[in-house]
Amino acid sequence: MLHSGLSSQVCSGLSTPCSSASAATQPSTNWHLKENAREHHTSKFSSEELIVRRGQAFTITFNGTERPEQNLIFIAETGPKPSKATKTLATFDISSTVSKEGWSAVLQSSSSSSVSISISSPPNAVIGRYRLGVQSGSSSPASLGTFVLLFNPWSSGDDVFMPNKAECEEYVLEEFGIIFAGNKNHISSFGWNFGQFQEDILNICLSIMDRSLYYRQDPVTDVSHRHDPRYLGRVLSAMVNANDDQGVVLGNWSGKYEGGKNPSSWTGSGEILQSWKKSGFKPVKYGQCWVFAAVLTTVLRCLGIPTRTITNFSSAHDADGNLRVDEFYDADGNHLERGADSVWNFHVWNESWFTRNDLGASYSGWQILDATPQEESGGIYQCGPASRHAIKEGEVDLDYDGPFVFAEVNADCMYWNYDSATGKKNLIFSKSTEIGASISTKAVGRDDRVDVTSDYKYEEGSAKEREIFKKARKKLGLGDKFDPTAPKQEEIEQKPDISGKFKVTGSLEVGKDLNLLLVLENLQSDAKAVNVNMTAWSTLYTRRPVNEIWKDSISVTLAPKEEKQFPIKIKYPEYQQQLTTDKTIQVTALCHVKDGMQVLVKRNITLDNPAIDIQVHGEAKVNKEVVVEVAFTNPINSEVKDCVLQVEGSDLLQGILELRIPPLKASEKSSTKFKLIPSEAGPKHLLVNFSCDKFVDIKTFKMVNVIN
């Protein structure tokens, strides 16, 4: 008979039952770790605990019973105060078939001393760590140990079911990602190590759920809702930022990062999540949007919810919910920080794949989640899940946070001239095609960019896009109401006399001079006198101005239909000290046309870092050393010092390798060699981050094909 109060032994995947001195009286469990992990797509977890996916059978063998197949009752429970009512407790005996609705156990084989059982959970079971017990006859239950149950995108009954196997591989099992940044005119990218299978990451993800405000307020109800990816996605979007709940990452957009790490210096989520746990769950300093999105990707992939990062260029932050963003400029063309609205060069959020039983089948599929703390939702800094299909169709009245997400990709932009002396503002012009450009994500199975803009909105400038915009405003009760302080509508649509644009004529690289052309064209058939006030400011990627770099003004007369070009050179020494680590500059020209409308010309510029080169010398083989060489040439006319090289890559390195490099004189090349010992075959990615006193966080990555 089984005895209560005896802890089980967990055998490390042995194919035969554990043996122990008390085997006759105490159940010892063989979890068949290797076989179960292979069947459940959990082999990449480094764990001595069984990790399986819901709605799919797994096999265990245990001993310590007499006539084991007789009268066995299994108990699976999770969370505090487990109960059948909350679906956190299940009791089930041996049956001949698998239950589609509940938990079930089917006898595989038995002998006088052991029994093999195939256990199945329902496809909508609560996910998390379970305690498994068994009871024989009238005896007390005995513990068989614990296992972790995850979402199952390979199972058609699961809310996260993803029929495309290649997409499952990418959005659940892939540890490497590419995040797109820069601006809509100049898209750049960098690699990220999601590392969802790294040691202890699963335990940390379970801890995140148990530290949420929802859990603290009502642990029993919170755990009972963990069958629902919609619920968990929302909870985790709140917990990845630290704003309300001592969550994982503390945001910082000040440009000053004392007491923590510059957000651009992170190369993976593992270090962040492990730091959070090691510090006693104190928020990790610091993050910005791509850090929040990358960490949320790690957590959701780890739990089995297919997830990817999405970058939106010219992304609106509509603080007042009117689907319009206001930007203010003074008479000199300086961008003013007025009002809470803003437009970011780029913003990164997440899409997760699951059904929306609350909204209906047409709203299932990709759901938008955003862990960056921008606006409160339900009193907490959380955002989503918003159905991507609902956003495209302007259904902004559906859960969750539709108006905010819709504005991010499709708000109208209003440009104002603001006089600080009088407090008056005049609308310079409005633009409906500025926001939401080149919405990007990594391709499935390839290191390429895929443009998903058409999944978020109809073509900019089309009648359908305007129809959807008006529909969204109507649903929010805004109709065609306009800002009462603005000029009359017909004045706004009045055509300007001149047009202008900035053209880049040289390379956009830190360390080189910035060469631009201001191109002005007279659209009228009479001459126009124009005064132009030009400024250049270093900014953050959120376009917040930080330091003035340069300013100038010119007066020009444009003959009828004439186009003129004015060269602008901003030398490296002029901007070197002023540049933020985002390496972004906004150049503006406010054109005052005599007896005509003002015209604002602006361009956001993102500079590239100099290149670094990675070479792998020889074949990369499992458990064999291979030499890697990283080269960097100092491109400027002065010495660079405080040089540090950081390297990481799942299945290539344990943790993060940090190497100090001697100072480099002008034009001097450094070559740094180190060894890798790959642990698994297949395409793996090595991420490199080089920093020095003049260049911060130069990132690159290289795919390393590891063979057996």
Side-chain angles (χ1 to χ4, degrees):
M1 299 291 287
L2 293 170
H3 295 273
S4 63
L6 296 171
S7 64
S8 68
Q9 286 187 321
V10 177
C11 302
S12 303
L14 301 172
S15 57
T16 54
C18 298
S19 62
S20 72
S22 57
T25 57
Q26 175 185 340
S28 54
T29 309
N30 176 5
W31 295 99
H32 298 288
L33 293 185
K34 255 193 180 152
E35 301 91 326
N36 284 324
R38 191 172 57 243
E39 293 295 317
H40 285 254
H41 303 93
T42 57
S43 299
K44 293 185 83 173
F45 284 103
S46 52
S47 173
E48 293 296 295
E49 188 175 24
L50 178 67
I51 301 164
V52 288
R53 300 187 186 278
R54 65 186 190 176
Q56 186 177 338
F58 61 91
T59 301
I60 64 166
T61 302
F62 60 93
N63 62 5
T65 65
E66 299 162 15
R67 296 186 58 76
E69 70 278 13
Q70 300 290 313
N71 306 322
L72 289 185
I73 294 172
F74 294 90
I75 304 109
E77 58 182 21
T78 186
K81 300 184 185 169
S83 72
K84 289 185 177 177
T86 58
K87 297 203 162 111
T88 51
L89 168 68
T91 58
F92 48 101
D93 53 16
I94 291 177
S95 59
S96 57
T97 56
V98 172
S99 163
K100 287 186 178 172
E101 299 301 314
W103 291 76
S104 58
V106 175
L107 183 69
Q108 300 294 98
S109 64
S110 68
S111 68
S112 59
S113 60
S114 71
V115 58
S116 283
I117 301 286
S118 173
I119 293 176
S120 297
S121 61
N124 64 345
V126 166
I127 63 118
R129 179 169 278 113
Y130 276 80
R131 303 172 290 281
L132 185 64
V134 64
Q135 187 173 9
S136 175
S138 58
S139 66
S140 301
S143 169
L144 293 173
T146 64
F147 65 94
V148 177
L149 191 67
L150 303 176
F151 290 99
N152 192 350
W154 287 270
S155 166
S156 60
D158 199 304
D159 283 343
V160 303
F161 173 59
M162 188 166 240
N164 185 311
K165 297 288 185 287
E167 290 183 347
C168 268
E169 293 272 326
E170 179 76 40
Y171 299 133
V172 181
L173 300 183
E174 181 57 66
E175 291 185 81
F176 170 77
I178 295 173
I179 296 172
F180 297 94
N183 63 56
K184 67 180 178 182
N185 300 314
H186 190 72
I187 296 173
S188 59
S189 65
F190 55 90
W192 191 275
N193 188 11
F194 295 124
Q196 65 268 35
F197 302 112
Q198 288 177 8
E199 192 173 349
D200 211 30
I201 295 298
L202 176 56
N203 286 326
I204 294 168
C205 293
L206 297 176
S207 298
I208 292 173
M209 296 195 294
D210 286 348
R211 302 187 77 80
S212 77
L213 290 178
Y214 293 86
Y215 182 88
R216 286 185 241 165
Q217 286 159 6
D218 187 348
V220 172
T221 302
D222 173 73
V223 173
S224 75
H225 285 149
R226 291 183 187 173
H227 65 92
D228 184 357
R230 178 191 55 159
Y231 174 80
L232 264 187
R234 189 158 173 79
V235 169
L236 293 168
S237 82
M239 270 305 292
V240 164
N241 70 69
N243 280 44
D244 314 287
D245 42 29
Q246 291 294 100
V248 180
V249 180
L250 185 65
N252 181 345
W253 286 267
S254 68
K256 300 183 176 74
Y257 308 113
E258 294 85 0
K261 279 181 77 160
N262 182 325
S264 66
S265 68
W266 303 108
T267 51
S269 307
E271 185 187 357
I272 293 168
L273 289 162
Q274 280 154 357
S275 301
W276 182 64
K277 183 182 179 182
K278 277 180 199 149
S279 70
F281 305 107
K282 290 191 178 74
V284 177
K285 299 173 179 175
Y286 293 104
Q288 288 173 358
C289 67
W290 66 90
V291 181
F292 293 112
V295 171
L296 186 56
T297 301
T298 299
V299 175
L300 293 171
R301 284 188 184 181
C302 183
L303 298 175
I305 301 176
T307 301
R308 63 190 189 180
T309 61
I310 297 286
T311 301
N312 178 40
F313 292 94
S314 292
S315 188
H317 176 170
D318 174 23
D320 52 11
N322 66 353
L323 307 189
R324 289 190 166 127
V325 285
D326 300 303
E327 287 204 348
F328 296 90
Y329 293 83
D330 66 14
D332 292 331
N334 293 306
H335 183 198
L336 303 174
E337 282 196 273
R338 275 195 58 76
D341 286 357
S342 58
V343 179
W344 296 12
N345 283 344
F346 69 92
H347 177 43
V348 188
W349 59 68
N350 298 89
E351 285 180 356
S352 290
W353 179 273
F354 48 87
T355 58
R356 288 301 295 268
N357 301 319
D358 57 326
L359 301 181
S362 65
Y363 298 103
S364 294
W366 288 117
Q367 310 295 321
I368 297 145
L369 292 162
D370 194 344
T372 300
Q374 294 182 91
E375 296 291 330
E376 288 185 356
S377 171
I380 298 173
Y381 281 98
Q382 58 192 350
C383 183
S387 160
R388 192 181 70 183
H389 178 68
I391 297 305
K392 181 171 182 176
E393 297 301 330
E395 307 285 356
V396 293
D397 50 341
L398 301 178
D399 287 343
Y400 295 87
D401 307 308
F404 186 78
V405 177
F406 182 90
E408 284 183 307
V409 298
N410 212 7
D412 280 2
C413 239
M414 321 297 286
Y415 298 96
W416 302 87
N417 189 196
Y418 180 75
D419 186 335
S420 55
T422 63
K424 280 187 178 169
K425 61 176 184 174
N426 289 307
L427 192 69
I428 306 170
F429 71 108
S430 64
K431 201 168 179 187
S432 65
T433 57
E434 174 74 13
I435 299 300
S438 302
I439 305 175
S440 303
T441 193
K442 178 188 175 295
V444 174
R446 306 191 320 277
D447 294 345
D448 297 328
R449 183 180 81 87
V450 174
D451 193 302
V452 294
T453 310
S454 62
D455 295 320
Y456 275 83
K457 58 183 180 180
Y458 291 92
E459 189 181 352
E460 278 291 10
S462 68
K464 184 69 173 174
E465 182 272 329
R466 284 291 88 189
E467 178 194 316
I468 295 292
F469 181 79
K470 285 175 181 165
K471 171 183 172 182
R473 279 183 62 84
K474 194 172 181 185
K475 279 183 176 283
L476 296 174
L478 296 166
D480 287 326
K481 275 190 281 183
F482 198 69
D483 187 316
T485 62
K488 292 193 180 77
Q489 191 77 24
E490 55 265 24
E491 288 177 31
I492 295 156
E493 288 166 4
Q494 184 187 335
K495 294 283 182 278
D497 296 315
I498 68 164
S499 71
K501 63 185 173 189
F502 283 109
K503 270 187 179 173
V504 176
T505 57
S507 67
L508 292 173
E509 195 174 303
V510 179
K512 303 240 171 96
D513 296 344
L514 181 59
N515 289 291
L516 304 168
L517 284 176
L518 173 63
V519 182
L520 297 178
E521 183 185 358
N522 183 357
L523 304 173
Q524 304 300 331
S525 49
D526 55 333
K528 293 293 171 189
V530 187
N531 289 323
V532 185
N533 293 330
M534 297 177 289
T535 64
W537 284 71
S538 67
T539 65
L540 302 177
Y541 80 100
T542 59
R543 297 192 189 166
R544 185 166 82 76
V546 177
N547 298 307
E548 187 177 70
I549 291 173
W550 165 89
K551 69 175 175 181
D552 198 3
S553 59
I554 52 171
S555 292
V556 58
T557 300
L558 295 171
K561 305 289 183 183
E562 183 185 17
E563 179 182 286
K564 278 189 177 176
Q565 298 187 343
F566 305 92
I568 296 165
K569 183 190 280 282
I570 303 173
K571 294 188 172 174
Y572 173 58
E574 286 182 84
Y575 73 77
Q576 178 199 339
Q577 297 297 324
Q578 315 302 334
L579 206 58
T580 68
T581 54
D582 293 350
K583 306 180 295 295
T584 53
I585 294 170
Q586 187 177 57
V587 188
T588 59
L590 189 58
C591 306
H592 300 269
V593 183
K594 191 176 181 188
D595 302 322
M597 289 174 67
Q598 288 180 327
V599 172
L600 177 69
V601 186
K602 67 186 183 71
R603 178 140 184 175
N604 290 286
I605 291 163
T606 305
L607 300 177
D608 292 326
N609 269 319
I612 39 178
D613 182 56
I614 307 175
Q615 295 293 330
V616 180
H617 297 298
E619 278 190 324
K621 290 186 174 180
V622 173
N623 297 327
K624 294 277 192 309
E625 279 189 352
V626 62
V627 174
V628 176
E629 183 178 6
V630 176
F632 172 73
T633 303
N634 176 10
I636 60 174
N637 293 326
S638 55
E639 184 181 72
V640 299
K641 49 185 192 289
D642 305 326
C643 304
V644 180
L645 191 67
Q646 276 194 330
V647 189
E648 79 167 297
S650 286
D651 303 324
L652 294 174
L653 278 166
Q654 288 286 325
I656 296 172
L657 177 66
E658 190 169 287
L659 301 164
R660 302 267 161 193
I661 295 169
L664 290 169
K665 294 185 172 60
S667 304
E668 188 181 356
K669 180 179 178 179
S670 80
S671 175
T672 309
K673 290 182 178 175
F674 54 89
K675 289 173 182 172
L676 302 177
I677 305 178
S679 59
E680 191 181 287
K684 306 296 173 186
H685 287 81
L686 191 68
L687 288 85
V688 169
N689 187 28
F690 175 84
S691 282
C692 61
D693 63 333
K694 302 288 196 300
F695 305 101
V696 182
D697 302 316
I698 306 177
K699 287 182 160 69
T700 192
F701 61 85
K702 188 173 184 72
M703 198 270 278
V704 180
N705 202 26
V706 180
I707 58 175
N708 273 311

